[in-house]
Amino acid sequence: MNFRLTALATLLGAVALSSARAADNPWRTVAPMPADNHDLTGAVVGGKFYVAGGATNDFKGTGEFHAFDEIWELNPRPWSWRAVAKFTRPRIYCATAAFEGRIWVVGGDILHEDNQRRPSALVEIFDPATGALSRAPDLPVALPNPIALAAAGRLWVVGARNRTERGQFTSIGPGEKAWRVEPEALPKMWALAGATVAEKLYVCVPDTGLVVFDPATHAWSVIAGPTQARSAQVAAWRGELWIMGGVDVADRSATRIYHPAQRTWRTGPSLPNALAWGAAGVVDDQLVIAGGAWREPTARRGYVFTAATLALKADAIPPAPVAAAADSALPRWSDQKLRGTGGPGLPFTNERLFPSFKFGRLSSVLPVPTTRAAEPERLLLLEVDGVVWTFPNRPDASAPTPVLDLRARYDQRPMQAYSIALHPRFPAVPHAFVLYNLMQPKPAENFLARFTVSLAPNRPPTIDSTTELNLLRWPSDGHNGGEIAFGPDGMLYVS
């Protein structure tokens, strides 16, 4: 009896929380799912929203584990759910995607007859026009919790077999009989959520944040932003990316909106309560979230699972920021030196600041922010040949200390390093960014890489070369420009 009273109190508390926020919250509850469900993704075809599989540890309030073997369809006119297909075995963490007018259900865990969950390479296709469920080519590798997104005429699938390894990335096109293995993805690409905007894949990666893959350049890049949500509800709506709730964030009901065209973030309407592991999509120009769960220490097994379906109308979209207009009061740029009529040069003179040592060709120098006020300032210096040094910023400094040797990372192959920059929140975010050119083998390539900096009080910083994460790469065999710097907007600019 005491357990039942505790469970009832938890449920009533959750209802009270939702009711309290509902008074001034634009989210509304529409048709509930047939049962509480989480570990979901969703996709829209023909004006209807589809989710597949999923699981709950509190099936219909019984406190029992249950895995689902259905594909569910949400019809917004009227709001109603129905099962439209059934798998041979229940599926959990599978990816649900719309591609070529059909629903693809990709990978995930399959619950077997022995009641064990095992990662699967299985891919199945549901055709809403016929109601038929058919097999597609299996994935090259079994993925326990992938994400599948369509862009540029292909279906792209990315995920990881565990929480620590790099992602597995693959794609398939119309009529193809096998998946094409793509270049290696980013680390920790598990528990993903994302959406497609303007033919690019936007994915929330744990511990990294929002990343984007451009099929045109075949490259991943990281987007600086205010959230690093894991297992959030994510959807594309009117050209923007909505990231709602999730875990590993301070506010698990917060909504963050990213505008790819303007590269800006803003805040959207908060969810009625904390939520993660639900499915999100846009149906009939309304943002919809189905199912999900949130952590509640007093609940059975520590979680509250929901069958709720939330909907948000377009009139609740906050206004997009207006791009700043050009300042007509700025003085006209003087081109007198281009016309050959410039005056004499400025009266610069040279002064040797560090007489105890000297370097070869210099690329850039920058101060290293200290972790304690009493620590002396240090400088970080990058040479063109790929060595990073550090030394105290005082004239009597002794020999500099090597921090990173890119030449050793590439077996002494010829290279040129152009610029180094520290994260604007360094040392809280201990990342250094380096732009360098690997000259051999041809064709030469530019790399924009991120490294992790290790710091200890009163000791020189060190950079572990194995932490390198390549953010961008492109062919370049000279005249590279090469300066990188963070702007006041927190974006990293590359020349």
Side-chain angles (χ1 to χ4, degrees):
M1 178 64 71
N2 288 339
F3 165 74
R4 291 182 179 178
L5 289 173
T6 301
L8 178 60
T10 300
L11 178 61
L12 291 175
V15 171
L17 175 63
S18 297
S19 300
R21 293 188 178 182
D24 56 355
N25 194 295
W27 290 91
R28 60 196 180 102
T29 302
V30 291
M33 299 185 73
D36 45 334
N37 198 351
H38 79 305
D39 294 334
L40 299 171
T41 55
V44 176
V45 169
K48 296 178 181 177
F49 186 51
Y50 296 87
V51 297
T56 181
N57 287 325
D58 190 24
F59 184 58
K60 296 185 176 180
T62 63
E64 297 177 355
F65 172 80
H66 180 80
F68 296 91
D69 58 2
E70 300 95 345
I71 295 179
W72 299 96
E73 175 194 86
L74 173 64
N75 188 344
R77 300 182 181 182
W79 292 106
S80 61
W81 286 94
R82 70 183 182 109
V84 293
K86 198 174 184 69
F87 300 114
T88 55
R89 292 192 182 100
R91 301 184 67 162
I92 308 166
Y93 298 118
C94 50
T96 310
F99 184 55
E100 294 188 299
R102 297 177 295 172
I103 297 297
W104 290 56
V105 183
V106 180
D109 285 349
I110 288 184
L111 186 66
H112 292 261
E113 288 86 347
D114 59 2
N115 209 35
Q116 296 297 311
R117 290 157 44 175
R118 300 184 181 92
S120 173
L122 179 65
V123 181
E124 295 176 279
I125 302 174
F126 172 70
D127 188 344
T130 64
L133 189 68
S134 60
R135 286 286 296 271
D138 286 356
L139 294 173
V141 60
L143 292 175
N145 53 2
I147 188 172
L149 299 171
R154 301 185 68 81
L155 182 64
W156 309 80
V157 176
V158 64
R161 290 173 292 190
N162 55 57
R163 298 185 178 195
T164 59
E165 72 171 18
R166 279 187 174 270
Q168 305 284 331
F169 193 29
T170 186
S171 74
I172 197 168
E176 295 181 357
K177 303 299 183 184
W179 293 82
R180 184 179 78 191
V181 177
E182 303 293 344
E184 192 174 36
L186 303 179
K188 298 185 179 181
M189 297 196 83
W190 62 280
L192 304 176
T196 300
V197 179
E199 298 301 313
K200 296 180 182 179
L201 314 182
Y202 290 84
V203 182
C204 291
V205 179
D207 302 328
T208 300
L210 182 62
V211 304
V212 57
F213 176 77
D214 186 350
T217 61
H218 240 72
W220 292 93
S221 56
V222 180
I223 298 171
T227 183
Q228 292 186 345
R230 170 168 65 89
S231 301
Q233 292 74 212
V234 180
W237 195 15
R238 295 192 174 189
E240 295 182 293
L241 195 77
W242 288 59
I243 303 174
M244 299 158 285
V247 294
D248 297 345
V249 289
D251 186 351
R252 298 176 182 176
S253 63
T255 295
R256 305 290 188 179
I257 306 172
Y258 179 66
H259 195 301
Q262 298 183 11
R263 298 181 180 180
T264 55
W265 290 87
R266 68 185 192 279
T267 301
S270 294
L271 300 173
N273 47 255
L275 192 67
W277 305 288
V282 175
V283 186
D284 202 20
D285 201 24
Q286 297 183 75
L287 184 57
V288 172
I289 295 178
W294 64 89
R295 288 175 176 165
E296 181 59 59
T298 59
R300 181 177 174 87
R301 304 190 185 184
Y303 291 88
V304 173
F305 301 89
T306 180
T309 306
L310 303 175
L312 187 69
K313 291 186 176 181
D315 56 15
I317 299 177
V322 179
D327 188 350
S328 58
L330 289 175
R332 181 179 178 273
W333 173 54
S334 172
D335 61 356
Q336 63 173 355
K337 290 192 176 183
L338 291 181
R339 293 186 284 109
T341 59
L346 296 174
F348 288 133
T349 59
N350 295 327
E351 178 184 358
R352 187 166 184 178
L353 296 180
F354 306 101
S356 300
F357 50 85
K358 65 179 181 179
F359 297 95
R361 293 186 297 165
L362 175 66
S363 286
S364 56
V365 181
L366 70 161
V368 181
T370 57
T371 56
R372 298 181 181 179
E375 287 188 43
E377 183 184 61
R378 303 188 68 89
L379 296 179
L380 206 62
L381 183 146
L382 174 65
E383 288 185 296
V384 173
D385 63 2
V387 182
V388 181
W389 303 87
T390 184
F391 51 92
N393 186 11
R394 60 175 188 264
D396 62 343
S398 58
T401 303
V403 176
L404 173 68
D405 189 347
L406 287 170
R407 303 169 303 180
R409 179 152 176 76
Y410 287 100
D411 300 323
Q412 305 303 320
R413 286 151 61 186
M415 67 163 49
Q416 291 185 328
Y418 302 122
S419 185
I420 186 169
L422 296 174
H423 193 281
R425 296 201 303 275
F426 188 94
V429 181
H431 290 157
F433 300 80
V434 181
L435 181 61
Y436 62 90
N437 178 265
L438 195 59
M439 302 166 67
Q440 297 289 344
K442 299 296 186 181
E445 285 189 293
N446 273 3
F447 290 81
L448 175 63
R450 189 191 78 188
F451 297 86
T452 298
V453 183
S454 298
L455 297 168
N458 300 312
R459 294 183 62 84
T462 59
I463 297 177
D464 183 355
S465 63
T466 63
T467 64
E468 180 174 7
L469 174 63
N470 285 323
L471 305 179
L472 291 173
R473 58 190 293 181
W474 64 95
S476 186
D477 202 9
H479 302 280
N480 292 280
E483 183 69 15
I484 59 175
F486 281 91
D489 55 1
M491 302 292 289
L492 180 60
Y493 288 83
V494 183
S495 68

